[in-house]
Amino acid sequence: FANEIDEWSQWQQVIDTTVTSIGEQGLHRGAARLLVEQIPQRQTMSPSSSALAAELVRFVRDQERRINPGERLPASTEILEPCFGRFKELEKQQSRGGFTQLVLGFGAFLTRVTADTVKTALRSSRTADIQDWAKQMLGRTLFSQRKAAFSSATKTG
């Protein structure tokens, strides 16, 4: 199986390179071009490894076309996991408001926060608008449903 193992190793190398590149750089315009530069030379690869590399580059190129210029999207949940930890800490500080509506602030963990971005956000997002959006899009939270059920069950006649 020496030939097959060599070919499978090439496949793994192409996949590892792709996952590392997109994982570190995110998905953005130009990601496919960077990937082409990082994938080992196709001339030294088996035809199937070269085809795999071409297919992965094609996929990344197709995905990056959907991204606005200047945007960079995470291509892995790895970067999001620390954000969830910070988000849970924020929720503890805002326990009266609940976790559900705080989801709108999650994006703030993924951007550079400056006085201007805070000022713009505060001017463009009124509390009433956020509450209306949450009612319309999120509905009643599990906590509010429990609270209502408990309240109706404990009322005395």
Side-chain angles (χ1 to χ4, degrees):
F1 296 104
N3 291 337
E4 288 84 358
I5 289 173
D6 184 48
E7 184 174 36
W8 298 337
S9 295
Q10 288 178 18
W11 294 349
Q12 190 64 53
Q13 187 177 14
V14 168
I15 291 167
D16 288 346
T17 300
T18 303
V19 169
T20 299
S21 177
I22 301 302
E24 289 176 355
Q25 298 295 320
L27 199 54
H28 59 93
R29 297 240 175 143
R33 180 182 41 76
L34 288 176
L35 181 58
V36 167
E37 294 170 6
Q38 294 173 352
I39 289 177
Q41 295 297 318
R42 289 189 191 167
Q43 298 86 349
T44 61
M45 286 195 256
S46 69
S48 66
S49 299
S50 184
L52 174 61
E55 183 60 30
L56 288 170
V57 168
R58 210 174 5 259
F59 176 78
V60 170
R61 189 170 287 124
D62 180 55
Q63 297 303 306
E64 76 179 43
R65 285 186 187 126
R66 302 171 189 203
I67 298 173
N68 294 323
E71 273 186 325
R72 187 176 296 261
L73 304 176
S76 166
T77 60
E78 237 176 276
I79 193 167
L80 299 176
E81 290 166 12
C83 294
F84 281 113
R86 291 175 60 199
F87 190 64
K88 288 177 182 179
E89 285 298 315
L90 177 63
E91 188 269 335
K92 286 179 188 174
Q93 297 168 17
Q94 303 294 323
S95 61
R96 286 193 68 217
F99 185 82
T100 307
Q101 289 185 25
L102 284 175
V103 75
L104 292 171
F106 192 82
F109 293 125
L110 302 171
T111 189
R112 184 174 298 127
V113 178
T114 65
D116 288 337
T117 59
V118 171
K119 190 185 303 183
T120 300
L122 289 172
R123 286 185 177 155
S124 63
S125 303
R126 298 178 323 138
T127 301
D129 295 336
I130 292 169
Q131 290 170 339
D132 289 344
W133 180 88
K135 279 181 188 172
Q136 184 180 30
M137 302 304 288
L138 301 175
R140 292 182 64 195
T141 64
L142 181 59
F143 178 75
S144 69
Q145 292 174 29
R146 285 182 184 164
K147 188 175 173 182
F150 181 73
S151 173
S152 65
T154 59
K155 286 184 182 173
T156 55

